[in-house]
Amino acid sequence: MMFKNYGLLGIEHLEREEIEKILELAFFYKDCIRKNIKKLSALKGKSVVNLFYEPSTRTKNSFELAAKYLGANVINFTTQGSSVQKGETLKDTVSTLTAMGIDAVIIRHNVSGTPMYLKKYINLPVINAGDGMHEHPTQALLDMMTVMEYKGTLKDLKIAIIGDIAHSRVAKSNLIGFSKMGAKVFVAGPSTLVPEAAKKFGAIISYNVKEAVKEADVVMGLRLQLERQKKNLFPSTGEYAKYYGINSTVLNLAKPNVLLLHPGPVNREVELTSEVMDGEKSCIGEQVTNGVAIRMAVLNLLIGGNEYEKAV
């Protein structure tokens, strides 16, 4: 696979066949998790570092569990209490960890392009766990896996992504990924949060949430990324919820068997009402489970050798 040569930097770098391979192996690992088989040996003797320069609950813990389920040693690095607070650069920090014998770097950073920058200096697989407003490839892969699980295919599905498109690395990775796999992706939200640039990745843009959601197979809400907004882009969260939030009235415009996704964390009663978030169409919990399986597949394909023979 081509991506074994450099790691997983973004969905934009993956071929369709590579996405299919990752999904196939992830379903295998999900079956292992369901059967409570969590002591595998595919990464026995390997060490990975979780290098998180931004807070994370789901992604960081998911990568840690995935690596441990496959038998790897895991270093969890955070800037607090590290030499970063003494002025050490990212390049020097990773060079130090590399000298300790790690086999892969998993990195989250608030600056777009950091994984690509890092890859120039180390001869190890780099896995992008979210960089600024650029990409979040494993989130898109787990979202595709969740939809595949329920729909059996991604081809010709209508996917509606609602909310803060402009600041969302999840939206970009999903837009690229679902489009590559043959789905039709609609994006909708306030005009200030839906950039025209989304069209170049194949998106169909709407500023009317009800129009975007109508007859959709999948509806994905996004977190309002207030920390990345440098000015007020909508009047208030109350008005946002009223006009762009996903509630039962909006969701009922989609197909009866619609799936509701959200990458989390969710601002309840803003992006989603509790009624739909906790409702029968919500797959948010399943997304979290699938995240571990996807990250197991990615780690094994990058540093584990023959994936199935070493999996059990």
Side-chain angles (χ1 to χ4, degrees):
M1 300 177 78
M2 288 296 292
F3 90 113
K4 289 190 72 169
N5 296 329
Y6 50 83
L8 181 57
L9 303 180
I11 292 291
E12 62 182 328
H13 304 296
L14 291 180
E15 300 294 335
R16 179 186 176 119
E17 293 73 22
E18 291 175 316
I19 293 173
E20 290 172 343
K21 183 71 175 177
I22 295 168
L23 295 177
E24 177 189 331
L25 187 55
F27 278 113
F28 169 78
Y29 280 130
K30 181 161 186 179
D31 195 43
C32 291
I33 295 170
R34 279 178 176 151
K35 294 175 180 173
N36 206 27
I37 303 172
K38 300 174 184 174
K39 290 288 185 181
L40 304 170
S41 60
L43 299 189
K44 186 177 180 181
K46 304 287 186 180
S47 297
V48 301
V49 58
N50 255 341
L51 201 61
F52 276 64
Y53 283 74
E54 265 190 346
S56 170
T57 299
R58 292 158 189 77
T59 306
K60 180 173 177 289
N61 292 323
S62 183
F63 267 115
E64 181 177 357
L65 274 179
K68 288 182 173 177
Y69 285 172
L70 294 175
N73 300 309
V74 181
I75 300 170
N76 281 308
F77 176 94
T78 57
T79 55
Q80 190 170 14
S82 76
S83 291
V84 172
Q85 294 185 319
K86 300 175 183 176
E88 187 172 66
T89 66
L90 171 65
K91 179 183 171 186
D92 287 342
T93 297
V94 174
S95 294
T96 300
L97 293 166
T98 302
M100 295 179 182
I102 58 173
D103 297 285
V105 175
I106 301 159
I107 183 164
R108 166 168 289 193
H109 205 285
N110 61 356
V111 176
S112 299
T114 299
M116 286 67 84
Y117 164 81
L118 196 58
K119 184 57 190 165
K120 293 179 181 177
Y121 297 103
I122 61 172
N123 189 28
L124 293 174
V126 174
I127 301 172
N128 181 357
D131 63 322
M133 296 185 288
H134 176 232
E135 278 227 44
H136 194 346
T138 55
Q139 178 68 45
L141 288 165
L142 75 88
D143 290 338
M144 285 188 269
M145 179 183 179
T146 305
V147 175
M148 280 285 293
E149 192 167 21
Y150 286 91
K151 301 294 185 183
T153 183
L154 301 176
K155 186 172 172 35
D156 295 331
L157 296 182
K158 178 179 178 179
I159 314 287
I161 304 177
I162 310 299
D164 186 354
I165 308 296
H167 301 93
S168 174
R169 54 199 177 204
V170 172
K172 183 179 178 184
S173 287
N174 269 302
L175 176 50
I176 296 170
F178 278 112
S179 295
K180 278 188 179 182
M181 302 306 285
K184 295 178 181 176
V185 185
F186 290 67
V187 297
S191 59
T192 49
L193 293 178
V194 180
E196 284 286 311
K199 288 181 179 176
K200 72 178 181 181
F201 299 109
I204 301 165
I205 292 177
S206 174
Y207 304 112
N208 184 318
V209 170
K210 291 181 178 177
E211 179 182 279
V213 167
K214 188 177 180 182
E215 295 296 311
D217 298 284
V218 178
V219 175
M220 180 185 298
L222 297 174
R223 185 175 67 86
L224 275 174
Q225 304 205 22
L226 300 176
E227 75 277 14
R228 300 190 197 281
Q229 296 177 17
K230 296 178 180 175
K231 58 182 180 180
N232 293 332
L233 297 174
F234 50 88
S236 68
T237 53
E239 288 193 69
Y240 178 90
K242 180 178 180 180
Y243 294 106
Y244 304 102
I246 301 169
N247 53 37
S248 58
T249 301
V250 171
L251 204 57
N252 285 338
L253 296 172
K255 290 182 179 174
N257 59 347
V258 66
L259 307 179
L260 176 67
L261 306 182
H262 191 294
V266 179
N267 293 308
R268 283 181 181 261
E269 308 302 337
V270 179
E271 299 131 18
L272 309 179
T273 61
S274 290
E275 181 184 11
V276 299
M277 181 177 171
D278 301 327
E280 61 181 12
K281 295 172 181 175
S282 173
C283 298
I284 295 171
E286 207 63 33
Q287 287 175 273
V288 177
T289 302
N290 290 343
V292 178
I294 282 289
R295 285 151 187 146
M296 291 172 76
V298 169
L299 284 168
N300 194 359
L301 288 169
L302 286 174
I303 61 173
N306 188 315
E307 62 271 17
Y308 286 102
E309 289 180 10
K310 290 192 175 184
V312 293

